[in-house]
Amino acid sequence: MPDQLSDPGSSALEVSTPARRSPSGRGASEASGETATPGRRRRKRTDWRLGGTAVRRWDLAVLSAALIGVGLGVVGGGAVSRIAAPWAATASTVVLWLGLGAAVAFAFARSRPAGLLRFRPIDVLWGVGLGLGLRLLQGWVSGADAAAFPSAMALDGGLPSGWWLTEAIPAGLVAPLVEEFFFRTVVLVAVYQLLRRSVGGVAAGVTAALVSAGGFVLLHATAGALTLVDGIQLFAVGGTCALVVLLTGRIWGAVLTHVVYNVSYLVLVVVGTWGAVAPAAPSLG
């Protein structure tokens, strides 16, 4: 499986050549008394970036479902968030995820692009390296070296009750999985395959990456006003994850990159919270 953008065109297809005709009008195998063998089937595609029947079903219908899903998720989540209840914020996020998840389910119900869900051990290296690199970039852009560690301190000085369930697990695992499958499978793959034949693999990949990363930023902007720094780091995350999918043809490197990026922040929150409540070291002398 190639790990680069390519557009081999018709050369990737294996087409059987017709049997040579004898002067009497029959095939050569018939003239010699042999039974003609049927032509070989085309080789099954193993990489969605090369086209194929499965990925061609990720068309305008899939993109339309994505727009409808994210629209319903944003509107429904916004309505739920206005409910005066302590569970409203969590419920609004769940409603948003349901909208995104519905679009993902619709796309995979139509077909499964070849190789997209394949996992390779190197995907772990992609995820850890790029996730930590993006977190370092975010810290540098935001001037985190001159700021205190983030914290989530409750009244008793520790982490809020249920923080692991309502904050850590959703942000560290669920959000990366849902968002990557929506933006880096449904949106990115659909845009790429719609444009590949007309503009070529490279131009289609660049366009798909920009649409995917831009949509990722806009989705987060619906939760509140974003600063320039926030927009830059979100676009960097979206663009990096899109490149991982385009270069490898697989989704799991992007998912792990997003997981490591989010979990690294959660680790900083835990360290910052515990550090804030730790007793001061006794002075010497």
Side-chain angles (χ1 to χ4, degrees):
M1 182 188 69
D3 278 342
Q4 59 185 4
L5 296 178
S6 58
D7 187 10
S10 60
S11 61
L13 301 177
E14 286 190 8
V15 182
S16 59
T17 57
R20 183 168 48 87
R21 307 294 294 182
S22 66
S24 61
R26 296 181 299 170
S29 60
E30 295 178 10
S32 61
E34 300 176 359
T35 302
T37 58
R40 292 178 300 171
R41 292 183 178 180
R42 293 177 178 179
R43 181 180 299 174
K44 185 178 180 180
R45 296 297 176 91
T46 59
D47 191 327
W48 60 268
R49 295 170 296 175
L50 305 180
T53 304
V55 75
R56 279 199 294 271
R57 300 204 64 185
W58 285 38
D59 50 16
L60 287 175
V62 169
L63 280 181
S64 298
L67 289 174
I68 294 172
V70 71
L72 291 176
V74 169
V75 173
V80 172
S81 66
R82 291 178 173 83
I83 299 176
W87 47 263
T90 301
S92 67
T93 302
V94 172
V95 171
L96 173 61
W97 287 345
L98 288 175
L100 303 184
V104 174
F106 174 80
F108 279 99
R110 289 175 65 85
S111 66
R112 189 175 71 176
L116 184 61
L117 300 181
R118 188 181 295 116
F119 176 78
R120 293 286 184 267
I122 196 174
D123 294 334
V124 178
L125 297 179
W126 280 104
V128 174
L130 292 175
L132 293 178
L134 286 168
R135 179 54 63 190
L136 290 174
L137 175 65
Q138 184 271 333
W140 175 71
V141 172
S142 62
D145 58 328
F149 274 52
S151 63
M153 192 175 301
L155 295 177
D156 60 358
L159 290 169
S161 176
W163 180 83
W164 294 99
L165 182 62
T166 61
E167 297 290 337
I169 293 178
L173 296 178
V174 182
L177 188 65
V178 173
E179 292 173 358
E180 290 307 312
F181 265 79
F182 180 82
F183 287 106
R184 256 63 74 179
T185 59
V186 175
V187 175
L188 183 138
V189 174
V191 172
Y192 178 85
Q193 78 86 19
L194 284 171
L195 298 177
R196 184 181 67 89
R197 288 185 176 275
S198 58
V199 301
V202 174
V206 171
T207 303
L210 291 175
V211 171
S212 171
F216 182 68
V217 175
L218 290 176
L219 178 67
H220 286 79
T222 62
L226 292 179
T227 65
L228 178 61
V229 172
D230 292 335
I232 292 174
Q233 59 100 1
L234 286 171
F235 189 84
V237 172
T240 299
C241 291
L243 288 177
V244 170
V245 176
L246 288 169
L247 292 175
T248 67
R250 303 183 299 273
I251 183 59
W252 297 112
V255 171
L256 291 172
T257 296
H258 200 156
V259 167
V260 171
Y261 178 79
N262 283 11
V263 169
S264 61
Y265 178 78
L266 296 173
V267 171
L268 294 176
V269 170
V270 172
V271 172
T273 302
W274 289 350
V277 299
S283 59
L284 299 178

